[in-house]
Amino acid sequence: MNWQLSGLFREAWSNVYANAPRSLALVAVFAAAIGSVAFLELQQTNGARSFELQYRAAGGYVAIVSGQGPIISMATCAALNGRAGVVAAGGIRVTGTKASATSPGTLFQSASVTSATLRVWDPGVSVDIVGSANSFVAGVGLAKELGLRRGGYLAPAGEPPAVVAAIVELSARNGTAQRWLFSVAPPVGKADECWIEFTKDSFEPGLASVAAAFADGSQDPIARPYLRRDQFTRNPKTEFAERPQRFGWLAVGCIALAIGALVAWFRKAEIALYLAVGTSRVELAMLFYLEAMLTMAAAWLVGMLWTFALERVFHHPLPRDGVLLALRSASSGTLLAILAAPLASYLLARSNVAAMLKDR
Amino acid sequence: MPLSRCLEVRDVSHRYRHDQPLVLNGVSLRIEEGVAVALMGPSGSGKTTLLSILGMLTIPTAGTVLLDGQPPLRARGRTRLRAELFSWVFQGVNVLPRRSAVDNAALGLLARGMRYSQSMGTALAALEVVGLHGLADRRIDTLSGGEVQRVCIARALATRPRYILADEPTGQLDRANTAVAIDALVGRRPRGTAVVIATHDPFVAGHCDVVVQLVDGTPTVDSRLP
C-alpha cells in the first residue's frame, strides 16, 4: 500500500468536490432511486395500516359464539372481558318484537344486552352505559324512524315509558341491529349469542378456543368469525410479502452498476493516469469506494428527507414500523449501490494501462 | 563487480494481437543513469510501445526487461516499481481536468505514500521549476495547452524519479512552449534522473544525450551526440 489512507480519502473528496456537476447528478439520480424505494415502502405500510383500521372497524376480529337456542352463559361471556387479548365481550338475548305506543304500526326487535355488547358493536360507545329497568338503548335506524333522541322517552306498547339512555351506530359491525331496541342488563341468565372482539394477534387462537369456555356437556356451542373469510379479498400479509418494492434495493444496485459502467467509461484516462503514477488496483478500488460512499451517503440523506417530506406534505403519518421498513430497504439499496457503482471502474482498471492512456 | 543502475531491454519484440505484425522487432536498449535519450521515428515505428515496455505498463511478447541487471518482475512488484522509479509525461495531456494544477502535480507524490501537506509543498516547488508557481491553484481546464503540459512535467519532476518517460511531450505545443517544456524536462531534471523522450521533433532530440532511431520496430541508429 503506497497511498496514505488520509491521502486517499482527501483524493476521493477532491474528486467528488471538483466534479461537482457529475457528483450532483449522481446524488440526484440515486436520491430519486433510494427515495422512491423508501416512499413505496412507506406507502405500503400506510396502505396496510389503513386497511387494518378498516378491517378492524368492520369487525374483522369479532367472533360470535352461539348454539341451538339461548344456551350461552351471560356470566361466562362477561367473564371473557378480563382475559388477555379480549377487547370486549358481551351477550345478547332476543326478547321479541315490540311496537311503540305512539306508533303501534311500527314493529321493531328488542333484545337484552350487556354494556360490553354495545362496545363490541360500536367501539365508540362508552362501556359505562349502565342499564336500568327505566332505560333503553336504541339503534340509529330505529331512533330515526321513531324520532327518538338521547334523553327522550319511549313507551313500548304495554310497558311503562323509559328514558332513551343512548343511541348507538351499529352499521359497521351489526347492521341488522340498527332498528333494534336494547335493554342493558347485568350479565345473568342465558344468551343467544356471545360477541367477542379480540386483539389482532389473539383473534385466530381465540376463535379456535373460545367455544370451549361455553361447553356444558349437553350442547356444544360453536364460534364463528363475524366477517366471512372471503368478505375482504385483500390480505395485508400476502400483499406485504409480494410487494414489488421488496426488490427495490436490488433495482438500486442495478442502476448503480449501469451508471457506474457509464462513469467508468468516461473516466478511462483518469483511471489509467492513477495506475501510471503508481497507484495499485487495490488502492484505486479503495478510492472509487470512498467516492461512492460520499456520493451515496449524500444521496441516501437527500432521498430519505425527500421521502419523509413528501409523506408529510400528503398528510400521511410516519409510523415507526413504516419508517424502519423504509430505512431498511433504502439503506440496503444504498449499501448495494456503494458496492456496485465502482465495480466497472475496478474491472476497467484491469485493462492495459498504455491503451487506456491513449483513449482520451 | 557492482552492477550499474540502468534500465535495459534485450531482444524485445511485441505485437498487440496474434494476427497483427510486430510493432517492435528484437529491440535492445540500455538506459544509463542520468542520461537523456530521444526515441525518434515515424508514426507507427514503435516508440510509444517501447516506452510502455520500459515503463512496465506493457509486458513484451518476447524478450526481457532488466532493471539494474535483474530479471523481469511479477505484476505486484511492477506496480510498486512503477510508483517508485518512473514518472510519465504522456502524449497529449493526461491530467485530472477539473482539479487544480498543484493537485495534478502532487498526484505521483501521493501515490508514493507522501503525506498530503508535504506533497503540496513539493508539488509547488516543482511547479516553480516549470514556471507555473503562480497558477498552482488554477483548475487545469482553465490553463493553456502549454501550461497543462508543463504541469505534467512538474508532476514527473516532483517525484524525483530514476526515470522520466515522455511520449511526444511537445507534440501539441508551439516552438516557444516546446523550448520551455524541454528546458524543464531535460535541463531541470533532478541529478541522476534519466529521461527517455519519444519524439518526432529534431529540436527536442537536439537537447538529448542519445538519439535512437526506430524504423518499423527496429532501432537503426544509436548515436551519441557530441
Side-chain angles (χ1 to χ4, degrees):
Chain A
M1 174 105 181
N2 290 330
W3 280 76
Q4 301 227 342
L5 196 58
S6 59
L8 268 181
F9 190 82
R10 192 182 281 267
E11 188 69 12
W13 168 248
S14 298
N15 278 341
V16 170
Y17 182 76
N19 294 283
R22 183 180 72 197
S23 303
L24 287 175
L26 287 174
V27 167
V29 167
F30 284 103
I34 291 165
S36 298
V37 171
F39 183 74
L40 288 171
E41 292 288 37
L42 274 176
Q43 289 285 300
Q44 178 80 30
T45 313
N46 278 330
R49 180 173 292 263
S50 165
F51 174 76
E52 165 67 19
L53 291 173
Q54 194 186 347
Y55 187 70
R56 180 190 296 274
Y61 305 123
V62 172
I64 303 167
V65 180
S66 61
Q68 298 289 328
I71 62 161
I72 304 299
S73 163
M74 278 278 200
T76 305
C77 183
L80 293 175
N81 283 297
R83 260 197 210 177
V86 173
V87 177
I92 172 174
R93 185 172 62 244
V94 178
T95 51
T97 308
K98 291 183 179 177
S100 165
T102 55
S103 181
T106 306
L107 298 175
F108 51 85
Q109 194 65 258
S110 69
S112 176
V113 295
T114 63
S115 55
T117 316
L118 297 174
R119 165 65 187 78
V120 174
W121 289 341
D122 180 0
V125 162
S126 169
V127 291
D128 60 3
I129 292 175
V130 178
S132 73
N134 294 324
S135 69
F136 295 116
V137 172
V140 166
L142 182 65
K144 274 187 184 167
E145 218 169 308
L146 298 180
L148 301 176
R149 67 182 65 166
R150 189 178 176 195
Y153 283 83
L154 172 67
E159 294 180 27
V163 173
V164 178
I167 293 170
V168 288
E169 168 56 64
L170 306 175
S171 60
R173 294 186 173 180
N174 193 0
T176 55
Q178 283 283 66
R179 281 191 76 259
W180 287 28
L181 186 71
F182 304 104
S183 304
V184 180
V188 291
K190 296 291 183 181
D192 294 298
E193 294 173 339
C194 177
W195 288 60
I196 310 133
E197 181 177 8
F198 292 98
T199 57
K200 181 184 175 183
D201 295 335
S202 302
F203 179 68
E204 290 298 341
L207 183 65
S209 64
V210 71
F214 295 92
D216 63 0
S218 54
Q219 289 189 62
D220 288 333
I222 56 160
R224 68 180 193 278
Y226 169 62
L227 288 183
R228 289 198 320 272
R229 298 291 187 186
D230 58 352
Q231 197 160 338
F232 274 74
T233 53
R234 287 180 62 181
N235 183 337
K237 277 186 181 171
T238 310
E239 282 179 15
F240 180 80
E242 293 176 355
R243 70 198 194 286
Q245 65 268 29
R246 71 189 188 280
F247 296 120
W249 64 286
L250 279 175
V252 173
C254 290
I255 293 170
L257 202 61
I259 292 180
L262 194 67
V263 170
W265 185 258
F266 285 107
R267 292 184 73 180
K268 264 203 295 189
E270 204 177 316
I271 291 167
L273 178 60
Y274 277 113
L275 291 171
V277 298
T279 307
S280 70
R281 289 188 173 91
V282 172
E283 289 167 334
L284 201 56
M286 286 174 69
L287 178 67
F288 295 147
Y289 278 111
L290 286 170
E291 287 182 22
M293 275 184 212
L294 289 169
T295 312
M296 296 302 169
W300 180 88
L301 193 65
V302 173
M304 295 311 292
L305 289 176
W306 170 77
T307 298
F308 292 149
L310 210 59
E311 280 291 292
R312 295 304 297 167
V313 166
F314 287 115
H315 307 293
H316 291 143
L318 292 173
R320 190 169 179 272
D321 55 346
V323 169
L324 288 177
L325 178 66
L327 283 173
R328 194 183 68 188
S329 295
S331 302
S332 302
T334 307
L335 287 176
L336 188 64
I338 289 173
L339 289 175
L343 207 58
S345 297
Y346 178 70
L347 292 175
L348 201 63
R350 304 191 70 81
S351 321
N352 184 278
V353 182
M356 280 199 292
L357 282 167
K358 283 184 180 176
D359 199 353
R360 287 180 288 274
Chain B
M1 189 177 78
L3 289 165
S4 63
R5 283 153 58 100
C6 68
L7 178 63
E8 188 176 0
V9 290
R10 277 191 198 157
D11 298 325
V12 160
S13 298
H14 190 71
R15 70 174 90 227
Y16 284 100
R17 278 171 38 183
H18 293 298
D19 55 350
Q20 286 184 342
L22 286 170
V23 181
L24 292 176
N25 189 7
V27 175
S28 294
L29 185 65
R30 185 180 167 95
I31 312 292
E32 299 288 351
E33 185 178 1
V35 74
V37 178
L39 291 177
M40 292 195 74
S43 294
S45 59
K47 302 188 295 295
T48 300
T49 304
L50 183 55
L51 274 187
S52 293
I53 289 170
L54 284 168
M56 300 182 186
L57 291 178
T58 300
I59 298 169
T61 310
T64 52
V65 181
L66 299 172
L67 182 71
D68 302 338
Q70 296 299 308
L73 296 143
R74 294 193 179 279
R76 190 169 297 227
R78 277 204 310 277
T79 303
R80 196 170 189 83
L81 274 182
R82 213 153 54 213
E84 288 172 359
L85 301 181
F86 297 99
S87 279
W88 285 84
V89 180
F90 300 103
Q91 190 172 15
V93 282
N94 275 92
V95 285
L96 305 175
R98 290 181 177 273
R99 303 283 297 278
S100 68
V102 70
D103 278 355
N104 272 278
L107 198 58
L109 298 166
L110 291 167
R112 282 161 170 78
M114 190 180 278
R115 295 186 72 81
Y116 178 79
S117 52
Q118 195 184 348
S119 70
M120 286 295 126
T122 310
L124 278 173
L127 285 172
E128 196 163 9
V129 169
V130 298
L132 290 179
H133 190 260
L135 301 178
D137 293 326
R138 286 266 298 274
R139 259 172 50 162
I140 282 285
D141 52 8
T142 65
L143 301 181
S144 70
E147 288 167 340
V148 174
Q149 195 58 290
R150 278 149 70 191
V151 170
C152 294
I153 291 168
R155 184 176 65 208
L157 296 175
T159 56
R160 306 181 70 84
R162 267 173 70 176
Y163 303 99
I164 295 176
L165 306 173
D167 188 5
E168 298 284 3
T170 60
Q172 294 169 10
L173 303 183
D174 58 25
R175 180 57 68 206
N177 274 312
T178 296
V180 174
I182 287 304
D183 175 57
L185 189 59
V186 179
R188 293 166 187 251
R189 71 186 192 277
R191 181 182 295 273
T193 296
V195 59
V196 184
I197 306 173
T199 183
H200 289 101
D201 191 345
F203 174 78
V204 174
H207 285 73
C208 296
D209 307 318
V210 178
V211 178
V212 177
Q213 291 280 354
L214 277 174
V215 177
D216 294 334
T218 309
T220 56
V221 178
D222 182 353
S223 62
R224 186 169 293 273
L225 294 176

